[in-house]
Amino acid sequence: MESEPDHTKPSAAAAGHRKHLAMLERLSKRTATPSSQDSPDASPVAAFLSRFAAAKLAAESALSACRSSSPEDAQPSLSTAATAIDDLDRLVAEASHSLPPYELRSALTAVSDLRAAHRLAASDLRPKKSFSFRNKSKAPNNPPQDPPTLPPAPPPEQPKPTVEAILPGFGFRGRRDATLVKDLRVSDEKDGDFTLADLVSCQVYLKGKCRALYVHKLKDCRVLVGAVFGSVLIEDVERCTFVMAAHQIRIHEARATDFYLRVRSRPIIEDCSGVRFAPHALNYEGIEEDLRDAGLEEETGNWANVDDFKWLRAVQSPNWCLVPEEERLQTIDISDVQEREDGN
């Protein structure tokens, strides 16, 4: 007699997933709660390391939940993990100006590794096309001739995780030959995260300030940004020009691109070539207030103190240089640029 199907496994799996989410919530609260090392007697570095360890544990647990989630829960799990990594990134950005070089580099490496693991998890969660081997049976000597039949249609492909799940926040995505203008001071997305992804030959103007900026896969673009009171992460850009102010800027896989910066900590590049740096060159009505609110009113000169992740500070990296003074942009005033989205 056939045994009855076991209906307890799905419910047990669901209960386990709920327990994991509850644990993530407790970790998140632990990250937000000052620890004993955050007391006035503790040094700023010790306090940061304590908060960083808790936030890193929350991000790692969120990534673990991604790997064990069902296809239905893949998208929410990826978003939860991305948020946890963003929280860790912001924690590093806020403390970057007071951390010793070794602690800062270690923290940045940990965040970079977590982002790479998140991208890998997103790739692994994409449904794979299923296939099966058909059992071959011995055919009779004189088999009856059946009419030919069409092979069964393949199952519909499940939607892949969107770029929104991997790169959080509002923003401009997937545009070509467009002029994209956003005034964050009068927008519902003000003081949040902003993303620029998959743009080709675009002019981007962002007035106001945002918490974090993510830039991914831009080509032949010019990007002018007011103030970022957290960190900027730039990945896979080519033949672009960026003008922006931020507490921390990290650049990965940039080629033949110029950066006009005001930054609290030293810019960090990795796997870049032909990148050049110059001082901040942006103006619009109200930019002084935005820079002051973001803690960026002071010119630190760090735009010229670039760290190449794979080169020692004592050795000049061949991957970056300063823009010669005669080639530098004059201050660009975008006061009269109105909010719009033109182009394709």
Side-chain angles (χ1 to χ4, degrees):
M1 182 175 66
E2 295 183 359
S3 60
E4 294 183 2
D6 185 359
H7 295 289
T8 63
K9 291 184 179 179
S11 60
H17 190 65
R18 286 195 297 271
K19 287 182 180 178
H20 201 95
L21 290 177
M23 183 187 71
L24 290 180
E25 184 177 357
R26 290 196 300 272
L27 285 170
S28 177
K29 290 180 180 178
R30 178 183 169 191
T31 304
T33 303
S35 67
S36 60
Q37 293 189 5
D38 291 337
S39 64
D41 296 333
S43 71
V45 175
F48 164 79
L49 292 176
S50 175
R51 292 194 299 271
F52 182 82
K56 183 171 179 286
L57 179 60
E60 290 170 342
S61 298
L63 278 174
S64 177
C66 281
R67 299 186 187 99
S68 60
S69 62
S70 63
E72 295 78 12
D73 296 329
Q75 196 85 354
S77 296
L78 286 170
S79 297
T80 300
T83 300
I85 297 172
D86 292 340
D87 291 340
L88 187 66
D89 197 7
R90 279 190 289 274
L91 181 62
V92 177
E94 291 167 0
S96 60
H97 62 281
S98 61
L99 289 177
Y102 176 79
E103 280 74 11
L104 177 59
R105 180 161 295 196
S106 298
L108 291 173
T109 300
V111 175
S112 179
D113 290 345
L114 287 170
R115 288 204 182 277
H118 183 268
R119 286 193 291 268
L120 181 61
S123 175
D124 290 343
L125 285 172
R126 293 172 184 167
K128 308 296 190 299
K129 291 185 178 180
S130 59
F131 67 93
S132 61
F133 296 102
R134 295 181 179 176
N135 293 327
K136 295 183 178 180
S137 58
K138 276 193 174 183
N141 292 333
N142 297 309
Q145 298 296 322
D146 293 330
T149 58
L150 295 174
E157 212 176 297
Q158 296 295 321
K160 298 178 180 179
T162 62
V163 71
E164 286 83 356
I166 302 173
L167 296 173
F170 300 91
F172 299 125
R173 297 173 169 88
R175 306 295 295 272
R176 176 184 289 270
D177 298 318
T179 299
L180 309 169
V181 185
K182 174 69 72 174
D183 192 336
L184 298 172
R185 299 168 297 183
V186 295
S187 170
D188 293 336
E189 303 98 57
K190 65 179 179 180
D191 295 349
D193 296 346
F194 206 88
T195 291
L196 304 173
D198 297 308
L199 305 180
V200 179
S201 301
C202 292
Q203 303 285 323
V204 181
Y205 305 89
L206 297 181
K207 297 181 184 179
K209 59 186 186 297
C210 59
R211 180 174 55 190
L213 177 66
Y214 303 93
V215 180
H216 177 71
K217 204 171 183 181
L218 270 61
K219 189 173 183 180
D220 297 316
C221 292
R222 186 168 79 157
V223 178
L224 311 178
V225 180
V228 181
F229 55 86
S231 62
V232 176
L233 176 61
I234 299 175
E235 296 182 303
D236 192 8
V237 297
E238 183 174 2
R239 296 193 303 274
C240 295
T241 298
F242 292 90
V243 184
M244 58 180 59
H247 278 249
Q248 180 190 76
I249 296 176
R250 287 176 293 148
I251 305 164
H252 300 263
E253 298 180 359
R255 299 166 298 280
T257 293
D258 290 347
F259 298 90
Y260 291 77
L261 306 178
R262 176 178 292 185
V263 59
R264 286 284 298 274
S265 59
R266 300 167 70 108
I268 296 175
I269 66 173
E270 184 175 5
D271 296 326
C272 296
S273 63
V275 294
R276 307 191 304 174
F277 293 83
H280 189 251
L282 180 65
N283 185 52
Y284 58 82
E285 186 177 351
I287 190 173
E288 294 84 0
E289 182 180 353
D290 290 336
L291 292 172
R292 185 172 58 253
D293 290 346
L296 295 166
E297 68 275 15
E298 181 184 351
E299 174 55 76
T300 63
N302 274 330
W303 59 269
N305 300 321
V306 180
D307 279 344
D308 191 331
F309 194 77
K310 296 182 179 178
W311 285 74
L312 297 174
R313 285 187 181 178
V315 181
Q316 173 61 43
S317 165
N319 299 315
W320 70 273
C321 66
L322 302 182
V323 179
E325 289 193 18
E326 63 272 15
E327 296 182 25
R328 292 178 186 175
L329 295 175
Q330 299 299 313
T331 299
I332 304 171
D333 195 316
I334 60 172
S335 299
D336 296 331
V337 178
Q338 301 299 316
E339 185 165 332
R340 69 181 190 272
E341 295 185 35
D342 299 338
N344 301 320

